[in-house]
Amino acid sequence: MTSGGPWRPPSAGEAGNASGDGAGNAAGRTPEPPEEIRTAWVLWLAATAFALLGMLLNSATARFGDLPQATREAFRDAVDTAGNDIAVESMFSIALAVASVLALLAAAVTVWLAFRLRAGKGWARTLLDLVAIFLVVDAVSMVIGVFGGAAGTGERDDVLSFAIYSLQILAGLCAATAVWRQHTAEAMEYTTGNGRRRAGR
């Protein structure tokens, strides 16, 4: 018996404070990722937004006449070979709709990978490297097309075309910069085994 009165069990808050830096504190808090990973995460979100917006804008405004002459002829030949009764323009619209759905799925996966990268997952960094290859190649092809004159063909408004090309190029630039930031020494350490243990996920 102590002078402070009868003994009572400690409350949950007191038990958590008594544990200090032990298991209770570690389970309730996830360490913050380093600055390089946070920057790469923001860049990946921006790259995804730019790429998705460019793709949806392109699908909403593209017309069969926007394609180069050789591409239009190849598309007609493919439709005729398939033996479908659907008109070429209708098949082109269906292809654009399918591409939009795939773009939405790809954007969702990329955002999920970006959050996994922020959590310290090394495999997410590797998969995002692969995503960056597609975005950078697409951006480079846009630049070559603009300066080579191939991107100016078609019936679409020049301002709208410029907006679509700019979005795709910005997506590639953001993805390339994100890859650079996620491969710095600090980021690599975070996304290896030590980083995963610190993230606790």
Side-chain angles (χ1 to χ4, degrees), residues 56 97 195:
L56 294 179

Side-chain angles (χ1 to χ4, degrees), residues 69-160:
Q69 180 64 30
T71 305
R72 291 199 298 267
E73 292 177 356
F75 192 86
R76 286 194 182 97
D77 292 341
V79 173
D80 293 339
T81 303
N84 294 321
D85 295 332
I86 303 177
V88 174
E89 289 76 9
S90 299
M91 185 63 69
F92 181 71
S93 299
I94 294 174
L96 289 177
V98 173
S100 298
V101 173
L102 293 177
L104 288 170
L105 293 176
V109 171
T110 303
V111 169
W112 177 71
L113 289 174
F115 276 93
R116 294 296 85 202
L117 173 71
R118 184 182 171 92
K121 305 297 184 181
W123 55 265
R125 183 194 66 235
T126 302
L127 291 178
L128 286 172
D129 291 343
L130 299 177
V131 175
I133 293 175
F134 292 99
L135 293 178
V136 171
V137 168
D138 184 58
V140 171
S141 66
M142 286 297 103
V143 173
I144 294 175
V146 168
F147 285 100
T153 60
E155 304 170 355
R156 186 158 44 194
D157 182 74
D158 290 340
V159 175
L160 185 59

Side-chain angles (χ1 to χ4, degrees), residues 5-18:
W7 179 87
R8 61 182 178 82
S11 63
E14 293 171 344
N17 292 333

Side-chain angles (χ1 to χ4, degrees), residues 9-29:
S11 63
E14 293 171 344
N17 292 333
S19 63
D21 293 331
N25 191 30
R29 184 175 61 194

